[in-house]
Amino acid sequence: MAADPLQERLQRAVSPDYRVERELGGGGWGRVYLAHEVLLNRDVAIKVLRPELATADAAESFVREAQMLASIRHPNVIVIHQAREGEGLQFYVMELVQGPTLEGRLASGAIGVNDAVRIGVDLLDGLETVHRLGVVHRDIKPSNVFVLPDRALLGDFGIARPPSEQDDAHARDGTPEYMAPEQVDGKSITPRTDIYSTGVVVYEAATGRRFHEQGTQVDWNGMPGDLARVLQRAVATQPEERWADAASFRKALEATQTPQVARRIAAVLGAGVLVVAAVVLIKNGGHRTPPPPPPRNNPGVPMVSFDRIDYVGPPNDHALADSLLRMVQSDLHDHLNFGNPAPLAIQARMTVSRDDMGLRLTGGIPASEFHVPLDRWPALRDSLSYQILLGVWRDRSPLASLPIRALPRTWEGLVRVLEAEQLVARAEWEDAYDAYLKAEASDATCWICSWRITEIERWLGRQPDPARVQRYRVHADSLPQPFRGIIRAAQLPLRARLDTLRAAADSTRENFLGWFQLGDELFHRGPLAGHRRSEAIPAFERAARLRPDFGPAWEHLAWAATAEGDSADAANALDSLERHSVAPDPYSRTLRALLQLGFAWRFTPESQAQRSTEQVVNEPAVQSSADLGAGPRLLPTFDVPRGAIALGIILQKSSQQDLRRSGLIAQTLAAVALGRLQDAGDLAGKLTEVAPEAELGLFTAELPAALALLDPGSISVADAVDGLQPWIASGNARAKWMLELLGQHQAGALPGPLELLVAADSLATAGRPRAALVLLDPVDVDAAALRLDPFYRTIVHLRRAAWRARIGDIEGARSDLLWYEHLDVVGLPTDLPQAAEVDWAFGTLARWRLARLLDAGRGKHRDACDAYAAVARHWSRAPVPYGARADTARTRMRQLDCAAAR
């Protein structure tokens, strides 16, 4: 067989990493080859742009396809490992799919309804992520769908692009047999265009009939009616009549596979409805009374069966059983919604004498016995209802996160706690807070309410009540581990707190609350102790697996995954959050909007993220939110300083001074993160004009001083000193210690932590970095930053990292350079700048230092690649020296083969 010249060129380009075996096939743009990756001992596919088509436009499209695929991590989308060029060729290495295409499967006829639906669900699951990233595939057809034994994959993104308007030159690109009407006509292309094509593919897979060959009279015979209705909506001629998005189409497809019996029940009771049922058997000479009628349907109320009630007493009093059960039914119905707990079977023995009524309960609840005077028999109602709730809580409810011995002792208290916990689970923070306050007020025994209130206050950014904190601390020792450890952890220093929470999670591996608390601490404060933010993700994932309907786990997971650049996990978490909390309170709606904006700026094209920002800000619920000013100042926690600038510009135009101030603070610090120091200075000037507050004036004077100190040459020391001089006249300690660090000796004493840093810096300058660390390491840096100066923590961590590197403590230096990844704010940042915001602003500089440290041959390759990637992303448009550093970062990434390292 004649040699393939292109294969030979490709082999030279990929040697020695890959061995090119043979051609697998090709399409319009490129040819695909089977190759073997030598180092990892795996087969891969390499797609190479046809040399004869390598025009500028073709190369741009090819590179765009590689970039789009590289940004998507989803089990139903083909994975790209890396993109490269060499020997005059452009190519990328991707997952080798060992399976046929759907087109090949359909060559022998229809594959059947069940398999067609399964493939459709997989495609739509992948499209949820694709669309969320701002991409429309535009060419969904059987030949681009690969069918594996356990899943289907979507491939060939050669013509994928963002949504487009009518005048888009590429609007008609695609395969006519699977194109939506608007695509054929060259009109606006949206994600609903892919919905149409997917509907056509599922129809053909289920029936074996070609959809477009039938014209307007499509044959739906032989297809289940519910599936036909779902697909008919998907292939509607008008885009607005189709499913709104891939998620809703997917859910509708999945629903068609629900077993028929369950579907009939759901139609009668409503989805997920379980009602309180009481079946009463009265043993009295074989006499049987009819069961009391069930209450109104209430979704998620636990099914409670009194499958045996033994009645002992006068025959005429057996009606007491019916009356008591009706009362219990009413209690359960009016207050509770547990989701879908398992049925609870209860046995009871009721005795009635002349003066006394007794009730003994066994079965699915803790065994208990009660007696009351006969004329007070309704008093048994609370005891019976309480015991049933306790049984549901203990054994059946997904809410069983709190220890039974800590729960309230009254029916009303227990009901309110359960209601509050359900609101927490739905991440409806404001409503949960109010519910717990009511629970605390209604039952003096509910000290666990005080702990939960404090936990929610922390998430809402409110300062806890010391008396309330003291209340639950006093009672914590009465609990078993791990709850005692979880509650006590908040009193411990950070490192000990993390160790305690990890031990609590490990000791009860099936208790989701322990894992959530560990993840929460790692996410918010772990980086301050040298832990990567990413360490929180497995803990949140564990909590979410154990309790899939617990919204806070998905909320935190979406935040952390977005910040880490994992689009698939972030999208999945956001979707799960929406599924489990569809009507959040105003605070939670604003928080969801922030999560969506963080995702948009992290993963979608900047133009689309800008549109998303404008849309979110125009929503009435967001505009009326008292927390709107925190939005741009929290966006850097998603690693998107450009998003902070975009939202900050919008708020800067507000008529409200506090929003204008927040918008300018966000822009100033984001400009520092992006290496645009001139912009930062100009914005700081505008800030002092908009809000002429002394504290802000001092902050804007400290900013250039910190830059001159931490990144010598970026700012003139003389200019920095001049900016601080006016504050020296008033004896300001913050200005004084900054000048001391800049080499300008000042008379007078400083507060302890500031004095220690100045002394440590002098030791290090004198060639004694070990002594400097011995002096500074015991200082509570976080407390000092909050109390004394928002720049203190940033300067300490960057200084200590440099000193540790000088003594060869690379791991210690690395830990110090991770501090900025935290999310430890005091309340919500809507007022003066916080230490946390300064930390985030200097995060890019920290990553530059980390990359250079690890790249010196003494560190971790993967971490160096990640740090270089962030530097290149943030400083790519910056002036010198930052733009030049971005160029260096890109060069080193190529030399280190960072794509392969990922």
Side-chain angles (χ1 to χ4, degrees), residues 790-873:
F791 289 91
Y792 182 79
R793 182 164 56 199
T794 293
I795 293 174
V796 167
H797 279 281
L798 286 169
R799 276 289 200 254
R800 284 197 316 203
W803 301 340
R804 295 191 201 284
R806 284 168 59 184
I807 65 174
D809 182 7
I810 303 304
E811 188 57 34
R814 175 179 172 274
S815 294
D816 258 316
L817 289 172
L818 298 175
W819 98 99
Y820 69 90
E821 290 187 347
H822 73 87
L823 182 52
D824 189 27
V825 292
V826 180
L828 291 175
T830 57
D831 200 353
L832 295 170
Q834 294 195 24
E837 297 177 88
V838 177
D839 297 337
W840 306 332
F842 283 84
T844 314
L845 178 62
R847 283 184 275 197
W848 170 250
R849 297 275 177 84
L850 179 64
R852 302 307 282 169
L853 176 74
L854 300 181
D855 192 14
R858 298 175 292 177
K860 299 181 180 179
H861 186 184
R862 168 66 184 273
D863 286 351
C865 286
D866 288 346
Y868 273 136
V871 168
R873 183 159 53 91

Side-chain angles (χ1 to χ4, degrees), residues 642-691:
R642 287 187 174 85
I645 288 179
L647 184 52
I649 289 173
I650 294 175
L651 295 196
Q652 185 185 343
K653 301 173 183 177
S654 171
S655 60
Q656 301 178 43
Q657 185 193 36
D658 59 336
L659 292 183
R660 293 201 303 274
R661 179 178 64 175
S662 264
L664 283 165
I665 291 172
Q667 291 180 74
T668 300
L669 294 173
V672 173
L674 294 171
R676 304 175 187 173
L677 302 193
Q678 181 63 52
D679 291 349
D682 294 343
L683 289 162
K686 292 179 182 178
L687 175 59
T688 54
E689 294 173 5
V690 168

Side-chain angles (χ1 to χ4, degrees), residues 2 100 108 138 143 233 285 301 311 407 415 487 601 609 656 689 710 762-763 776 848 858 889 900:
S108 56
R138 301 179 183 229
S143 61
R233 180 171 175 181
V301 173
Y311 174 78
L407 297 177
V415 164
I487 292 174
W601 281 101
Q656 301 178 43
E689 294 173 5
L710 297 174
S762 298
L763 287 170
L776 194 56
W848 170 250
R858 298 175 292 177

Side-chain angles (χ1 to χ4, degrees), residues 244-291:
D245 50 40
S248 56
F249 186 8
R250 173 182 57 77
K251 292 172 186 176
L253 270 186
E254 289 174 333
T256 67
Q257 297 300 287
T258 306
Q260 291 295 324
V261 172
R263 250 183 282 167
R264 292 193 188 103
I265 293 173
V268 174
L269 299 180
V273 170
L274 292 173
V275 299
V276 179
V279 180
V280 184
L281 174 63
I282 302 296
K283 280 195 170 181
N284 186 14
H287 181 72
R288 187 186 301 266
T289 64

Side-chain angles (χ1 to χ4, degrees), residues 395-419:
D395 296 328
R396 307 300 206 278
S397 173
L399 298 173
S401 57
L402 303 179
I404 287 179
R405 71 173 65 174
L407 297 177
R409 300 292 187 266
T410 67
W411 155 256
E412 182 180 4
L414 186 59
V415 164
R416 291 193 182 279
V417 167
L418 292 176
E419 290 173 338

Side-chain angles (χ1 to χ4, degrees), residues 657-780:
Q657 185 193 36
D658 59 336
L659 292 183
R660 293 201 303 274
R661 179 178 64 175
S662 264
L664 283 165
I665 291 172
Q667 291 180 74
T668 300
L669 294 173
V672 173
L674 294 171
R676 304 175 187 173
L677 302 193
Q678 181 63 52
D679 291 349
D682 294 343
L683 289 162
K686 292 179 182 178
L687 175 59
T688 54
E689 294 173 5
V690 168
E693 304 168 51
E695 194 77 9
L696 273 178
L698 176 57
F699 179 85
T700 57
E702 283 186 287
L703 180 57
L707 286 163
L709 182 67
L710 297 174
D711 200 13
S714 61
I715 294 288
S716 163
V717 173
D719 290 344
V721 170
D722 288 345
L724 287 173
Q725 287 298 341
W727 300 94
I728 291 296
S730 62
N732 189 280
R734 284 169 56 175
K736 182 179 182 298
W737 82 283
M738 281 277 198
L739 286 175
E740 290 272 8
L741 290 175
L742 288 169
Q744 308 291 312
H745 181 67
Q746 303 292 313
L750 288 168
L754 303 184
E755 186 70 51
L756 285 173
L757 177 55
V758 171
D761 196 64
S762 298
L763 287 170
T765 301
R768 301 177 61 193
R770 290 183 187 275
L773 290 167
V774 168
L775 187 62
L776 194 56
D777 277 350
V779 174
D780 187 344

